[in-house]
């Protein structure tokens, strides 16, 4: 089920970026920059918004349990945008976001969904290990 959110413009940083920095905040409807999150996963989200964005544009997503997560627009079609998180989020962060959405009813236990969630967690941990190993080899 869709979740409501909105974009909030962030104050410019000292690095003088030319593009507008935005944060996507879940669960707060009624803004000029409203967003409907049609699908939220461990690796990204499908957004619908009238806020114009370009492929490659980055923004922050504020998620319960995960805090601020960097995301990038990877495709768009009209007012629909596919975004990918820099690193996959934890299943607990995904669950917290879904549970805090007022329009989402609790799901029935599904062993296939549970296996997918475990697989995604393994993938997330693998990416974290790979990132840590790269940092170790650079130092």
């Amino acid at each position: 089920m869709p979740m409501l959110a909105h974009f909030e413009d962030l104050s410019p940083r000292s690095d003088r970026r030319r593009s507008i920095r935005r944060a996507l905040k879940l669960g707060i409807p009624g803004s000029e920059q409203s967003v409907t999150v049609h699908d939220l996963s461990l690796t990204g989200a499908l957004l619908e918004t009238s806020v114009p964005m370009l492929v490659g544009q980055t923004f922050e997503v504020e998620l319960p349990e995960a805090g601020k997560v960097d995301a990038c627009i990877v495709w768009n079609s009209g007012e629909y945008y596919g975004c990918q998180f820099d690193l996959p989020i934890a299943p607990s962060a995904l669950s917290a976001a879904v549970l805090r959405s007022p329009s989402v009813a609790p799901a029935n236990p599904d062993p296939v969904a549970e296996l997918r969630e475990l697989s995604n967690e393994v993938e997330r941990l693998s990416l974290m290990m790979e990132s840590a190993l790269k940092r170790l080899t650079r130092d």
Side-chain angles (χ1 to χ4, degrees), residues 85-113:
F85 302 138
D86 283 356
L87 288 174
I89 60 173
S92 60
L94 177 60
S95 296
V98 171
L99 288 173
R100 290 187 185 178
S101 172
S103 62
V104 176
N108 294 327
D110 178 4
V112 174

Side-chain angles (χ1 to χ4, degrees), residues 59-76:
F59 59 97
E60 294 176 350
V61 179
E62 289 190 24
L63 294 170
E65 305 295 322
K68 295 178 182 177
V69 177
D70 288 329
C72 179
I73 300 296
V74 293
W75 65 266
N76 87 291

